[in-house]
Amino acid sequence: MSASPPPLSRSVDASPSLSLPDVVTRLRAAGCVFAEDEAHLLVSTARTPAGLALMVERRVEGLPLEHVLGWAEFCGLRIDVVPGVFVPRRRTEFLIHQATALARQATESDGHATRPDGQATGPDGRAGAPDGARIVVVDLCCGSGAVGAALAAALGRIELHAVDIDPAAVQCARRNVAAVGGQVYEGDLYEPLPATLRGRVDVLVASPPYVPTEAIRLLPAEARVHEPRVALDGGADGLDVVRRVTAAAPLWLAPGGCLLVETSERQAPETIEAIARNGLIPRVAGCDKLNATVVIGTRPGPRSGPGDASR
């Protein structure tokens, strides 16, 4: 279920309007580390003086900046977010980079090239692969749908399916992936996916909850109080959901298809072990700059081409 944000004050004086320095001063007093950057975003986003005053009040009272703005920047996109929905993290952009590279390798190995802008092209060089040759992407624990939206932006046309167990996240994700024709399902991991996807998925991405239960109390209040527990709590060692994702992945991946799981550097060895135990070929990729770790598992076997339902 979604986290319920604490009640916010509505005692906002809409006149006179707040100046940029006023906003910076209020944010600094509230302990916002990046007060100037946040102030510019709030001022540029607000539509009215009263709206700006209310947004500042919400931020001062502890609501995450992205929930106040109504959007989060992710991979150069503006992703809609609402209170109670997990905010996409900058480190998850590394997951996008890895998944994009693997998807492009798949199209190139199957006789399809990619243009510099990431749009798939057929053997004749025209933009866009035929419908039957689109890369099939599944985004588990999709939250706001940021990962799927970013992959669609990077790769061009894909067949995108996203899943989350949280109804609020599903509603939010549907707004973010509607423009790319993606489908969003409400349910537990693979359970709501169409059976026709079994054995057809080229890229399976998951940014599951991986915070150990006892460590949640140590998270910043913005996450601990305002984001859904289901998007954070990974069980005693943080890997409960990761194990379930890896256990069923081989049933859904196409031969040569890849599972990519975001995790922590500390949890990577156990994640690799879980992936290998389920018959996938594991490797780990990391990015110190983003403090990001992704464990990748590839299903053995020759590829038959993206979107080939006969696999």
Side-chain angles (χ1 to χ4, degrees), residues 181-206:
Q183 298 293 317
V184 185
Y185 310 87
E186 181 181 330
D188 185 20
L189 298 181
Y190 303 94
E191 181 270 330
L193 287 172
T196 53
L197 286 177
R198 291 194 177 191
R200 293 186 56 237
V201 178
D202 299 295
V203 177
L204 174 56
V205 290

Side-chain angles (χ1 to χ4, degrees), residues 26-57:
R26 292 203 60 190
L27 295 179
R28 279 181 179 158
C32 296
V33 177
F34 303 104
E36 290 190 5
D37 292 339
E38 292 192 12
H40 280 283
L41 287 170
L42 291 171
V43 170
S44 64
T45 301
R47 296 182 178 179
T48 65
L52 175 60
L54 180 57
M55 291 171 75
V56 172
E57 191 74 15

